[in-house]
Amino acid sequence: DQQVKQNSPSLSVQEGRISILNCDYTNSMFDYFLWYKKYPAEGPTFLISISSIKDKNEDGRFTVFLNKSAKHLSLHIVPSQPGDSAVYFCAASDLPGGKLIFGQGTELSVKP
Amino acid sequence: DARVTQTPRHKVTEMGQEVTMRCQPILGHNTVFWYRQTMMQGLELLAYFRNRAPLDDSGMPKDRFSAEMPDATLATLKIQPSEPRDSAVYFCASGLLSSGNTIYFGEGSWLTVV
């Protein structure tokens, strides 16, 4: 039973354009949401997070949007750069400091 | 430069052999996680500890997997006996409860069981 789902295994975007990565969840108790980026042969690295009291959090080129009623979050990268090419995982937790449940990942390819 | 350290980085073993993976969490972190990455499941939580006590190991096949924290600087994940379906990348991650939900991953242990 996949509580966090990323339905797009891959996404290809042109350099300079917007990348939108989507994530859906089923557990209404989730209150904390994070995005991680993973390069090949490396561990995932933290990118950005949001708590359920907000609907948007921005950090430079990265913005995460949360729609609690739809149980949906998205990561926007503007403008996309070739160095952003990686696998992106969304994750959710129901407690501060609690276990993170990850989605399957979306592989982003940004073409020059 | 604080980071999570995992050993071995790569391991090839024969079916039926015991495999032990080790993790040194970031100094001062009180929560340690073991995840497994597979193509189908993404990042799958196997077990996690807080202050060395196991909090949840429901994602771990109990008949062959075991996870322990002998001390605050070492976490171990053992598979005995190993099977080809255990082939995956195993990640350890650590975090500090007071710092929220952000956790920091090691580079992973690539396991191949033949």
Side-chain angles (χ1 to χ4, degrees), chain A residues 42 66-67 77 107:
Chain A
E42 295 184 9
L66 175 63
N67 182 335
I77 307 174
E107 184 171 9

Side-chain angles (χ1 to χ4, degrees), chain A residues 3-88:
Chain A
Q3 296 187 68
V4 179
K5 298 178 185 178
Q6 294 175 256
N7 292 317
S8 298
S10 62
L11 175 68
S12 184
V13 169
Q14 207 67 32
E15 181 179 6
R17 308 294 281 266
I18 185 172
S19 296
I20 300 176
L21 297 102
N22 293 304
C23 179
D24 297 295
Y25 60 95
T26 57
N27 188 342
S28 57
M29 301 299 292
F30 285 149
D31 275 332
Y32 305 90
F33 304 89
L34 300 87
W35 285 93
Y36 279 76
K37 179 166 82 171
K38 185 185 179 304
Y39 292 119
E42 295 184 9
T45 55
F46 170 72
L47 193 56
I48 192 169
S49 64
I50 190 168
S51 71
S52 60
I53 61 173
K54 294 185 171 183
D55 55 16
K56 176 182 172 181
N57 188 26
E58 195 170 347
D59 183 2
R61 296 186 297 114
F62 302 90
T63 304
V64 56
F65 295 91
L66 175 63
N67 182 335
K68 283 209 74 176
S69 60
K71 296 192 182 68
H72 177 83
L73 65 155
S74 61
L75 174 69
H76 293 209
I77 307 174
V78 181
S80 302
Q81 298 173 353
D84 296 330
S85 297
V87 177
Y88 289 79

Side-chain angles (χ1 to χ4, degrees), chain B residues 2-31:
Chain B
R3 56 180 170 170
V4 175
T5 304
Q6 289 186 246
T7 58
R9 287 297 317 276
H10 300 271
K11 175 78 174 179
V12 180
T13 191
E14 290 187 349
M15 182 173 65
Q17 295 297 304
E18 177 179 302
V19 175
T20 298
M21 288 167 274
R22 293 177 174 81
C23 168
Q24 182 176 5
I26 292 172
L27 189 64
H29 281 188
N30 60 358
T31 310

Side-chain angles (χ1 to χ4, degrees), chain A residues 32 36 43 93 95 97 99-100, chain B residues 35 37 50 56 97 101 103 106:
Chain A
Y32 305 90
Y36 279 76
S93 177
L95 292 171
K99 63 183 180 184
L100 289 183
Chain B
Y35 286 90
Q37 184 183 13
R50 176 151 302 130
D56 187 343
L97 174 61
N101 292 87
I103 62 175

